[in-house]
Amino acid sequence: MTFIRTSEESHTENSESETELQTRVAALLDRYLVSLDVQELDDAWAAGLFTQDAVVTFPISWHEGVDGMAAYHATALSAFAATQHLGSPAVVEVTGDSAKLQANLISTHVHHARAQEEAPQLFTTGTFVQGRARRTPLGWRLSELSFRLVWSNGSPGRGL
C-alpha cells in the first residue's frame, strides 16, 4: 500500500480549515499504525510518513532520522508472527506549519508458534502516543512519535 500526494492536495493545503488540517495530521498516525500490520516497510514508506529528522521513541528503544527508519521498524516487527495496532482518534492541535497529536493505542503482538505450543502466545499493550508533525514541501510528515506504556499483558519475548 503506497500513499501518494496529488498536485491538487498540495495546492489546496494552504487554504484548508483547522478541522481539515487536524484530519490530515491525524491521518498520518492512522496510516502509520495500519501500515505496521499490513505493509512492507521500506524507504518509500518512511519518506511518506516522516520528516528527515524524525524521532520515534518506544519504551525499549528509539530511532532518529528517516534513514534506517523502515529497517528499524521491520526488525522490531519481525520478532512477531503478526501484529494488530488499534488507535483511538487522535487529538490534534495545529499551529501554523506544525502540529501536536496524542492518542491511545492497543497493540496485540502474536508470538511465533513453537512446536510444543498448541496456540501462539500473545503480548498485548496499552500505550499513550504523543507526537509532532510538520508541513513540508511534500505535505505533512511526522517529526516525532513517542510511545509511553500504560499497561501490558504477557511477555514481550526474547530480546525485547
Side-chain angles (χ1 to χ4, degrees):
M1 178 184 314
T2 302
F3 298 94
I4 299 172
R5 168 174 299 292
T6 66
S7 59
E8 183 177 315
E9 284 179 297
S10 297
H11 177 70
T12 61
E13 200 164 272
N14 291 331
S15 64
E16 291 177 305
S17 72
E18 182 175 349
T19 301
E20 290 168 326
L21 290 173
Q22 291 168 332
T23 300
R24 187 175 298 280
V25 171
L28 284 171
L29 182 61
D30 294 342
R31 287 180 18 217
Y32 170 78
L33 294 174
V34 169
S35 67
L36 293 176
D37 302 328
V38 300
Q39 186 173 340
E40 182 177 335
L41 307 182
D42 57 18
D43 291 340
W45 167 83
L49 287 171
F50 296 101
T51 61
Q52 289 294 314
D53 61 347
V55 177
V56 176
T57 306
F58 291 97
I60 58 170
S61 66
W62 62 277
H63 182 82
E64 184 173 352
V66 73
D67 292 337
M69 186 70 76
Y72 168 78
H73 281 82
T75 298
L77 292 170
S78 71
F80 303 101
T83 60
Q84 186 174 42
H85 297 82
L86 303 173
S88 72
V91 175
V92 177
E93 179 183 322
V94 177
T95 306
D97 288 340
S98 65
K100 294 179 186 178
L101 61 98
Q102 56 186 359
N104 289 301
L105 171 63
I106 303 288
S107 300
T108 302
H109 308 81
V110 181
H111 288 288
H112 294 282
R114 295 182 183 157
Q116 68 271 20
E117 293 177 337
E118 289 186 26
Q121 298 297 306
L122 301 179
F123 173 57
T124 55
T125 61
T127 309
F128 182 69
V129 182
Q130 288 183 294
R132 294 183 180 273
R134 285 196 314 260
R135 189 191 320 252
T136 73
L138 298 173
W140 286 92
R141 297 292 187 271
L142 295 165
S143 58
E144 179 183 327
L145 279 179
S146 177
F147 298 83
R148 181 176 52 85
L149 185 65
V150 177
W151 60 265
S152 67
N153 186 31
S155 171
R158 295 181 193 188
L160 296 179

